Amino acid sequence: MSAVLVIGGSDSSGGAGLVRDIATLTELSTQALCAVTAVTAQTDGAVLSVYPLPPPLVREQIVSALATGRVRAIKIGMLATLDTVLAVAEGIAAHAAVPVVLDPVLAASSGGTLLEAAGLVALRQQLLPRATLLTPNIPECAALLGTALARSETELLQQGCALLALGARAVLLKGGHAATPEATDLLLTGADAVRRFSAPRSASGRRGTGCTLACAIAAGLAAGLELSAACARAKDYLSNWLRAPATPN
Ligand code: PLP
């Protein structure tokens, strides 16, 4: 069985974060190894508290997971603080051959902050150049670049190119926040290399869609799929999950 190391925070509501990551990987017959960065108390409507774990502990979880030799892909989610970003960058540094899916988690759907401002700068400088795939939504693109929200696909693709220029090898621009009839994600691997993945919009309002998609992509990469095939399979997986009646996680 292939294995993915998930690095991220726990969400007590079970809607997002590590609970969602592990549920996704389990459904995709992928073993989850796990490095917890922060514990949060959340409801669907609010982030009540965030307790980052000590950075040396975060680094040690990562180093020991990678030392098993079983990890075929890494998925990074909530990081909470600058020091955690630095600990993660240090922890994965010796494993340049392992693909990294970086979900730049900045805030919950409720609006609560999940990464401090100094952490965002460090993520851009230290982790973005290590990303095999960066998976920002429209607000995350704008925050990473310090620009206004993209108002059109052309503007979003321009922002995607700027993120490639910062060092990400590929960017999946998630269109969930766009005012388009379908939810379309754009996979950008070069200035003129775009592949689109569309699905009907879901009215489920379910949380954890970003975690689910990024983890499903990481599972595909761990299983040896090439990036575009991993994204296509993950988009189908997400659409089916959103269509299914809500079951635990
Ligand atoms: N909480 C944690 C721990 C997360 O990792 C994430 C997203 O990755 C969220 C909350 C945000 O999820 P949502 O946007 O579905 O509220």
Side-chain angles (χ1 to χ4, degrees):
M1 187 189 266
S2 54
V4 168
L5 168 61
V6 286
I7 302 173
S10 75
D11 165 7
S12 58
S13 75
L18 291 171
V19 168
R20 187 86 280 290
D21 292 338
I22 294 165
T24 302
L25 292 173
T26 304
E27 266 209 2
L28 292 170
S29 303
T30 306
Q31 190 194 1
L33 287 82
C34 182
V36 187
T37 56
V39 176
T40 73
Q42 293 188 55
T43 63
D44 287 344
V47 176
L48 305 170
S49 30
V50 174
Y51 276 73
L53 295 196
L57 174 61
V58 173
R59 194 176 56 80
E60 200 174 1
Q61 293 175 79
I62 295 169
V63 168
S64 52
L66 290 170
T68 63
R70 296 201 305 269
V71 173
R72 297 287 169 267
I74 299 168
K75 182 259 176 178
I76 302 176
M78 177 193 173
L79 295 171
T81 69
L82 162 65
D83 288 343
T84 310
V85 172
L86 299 179
V88 170
E90 250 182 69
I92 66 173
H95 296 267
V98 181
V100 171
V101 179
L102 176 59
D103 185 15
V105 175
L106 306 182
S109 308
S110 62
T113 300
L114 298 175
L115 179 65
E116 64 185 15
L120 174 62
V121 175
L123 181 143
R124 191 166 56 217
Q125 290 171 351
Q126 309 275 334
L127 288 178
L128 205 140
R130 179 62 184 83
T132 309
L133 179 69
L134 178 73
T135 63
N137 58 31
I138 292 171
E140 288 161 353
C141 278
L144 281 165
L145 293 166
T147 53
L149 294 179
R151 286 158 309 174
S152 64
E153 191 173 298
T154 309
E155 283 184 8
L156 189 58
L157 285 168
Q158 280 164 356
Q159 294 189 358
C161 286
L163 293 169
L164 287 179
L166 288 175
R169 249 166 288 158
V171 182
L172 185 68
L173 301 155
K174 296 181 295 190
H177 291 72
T180 48
E182 291 205 303
T184 299
D185 301 337
L186 304 169
L187 175 63
L188 198 61
T189 48
D192 294 318
V194 184
R195 182 163 169 201
R196 56 179 59 237
F197 305 99
S198 290
R201 271 186 188 283
S202 162
S204 81
R206 223 179 276 183
R207 296 178 50 229
T209 51
C211 303
T212 302
L213 184 70
C215 255
I217 296 169
L221 295 177
L225 295 182
E226 56 87 25
L227 183 60
S228 174
C231 291
R233 189 185 78 154
K235 181 80 173 173
D236 283 349
Y237 175 80
L238 177 64
S239 301
N240 288 332
W241 178 66
L242 287 170
R243 259 198 303 272
T247 50
N249 304 313

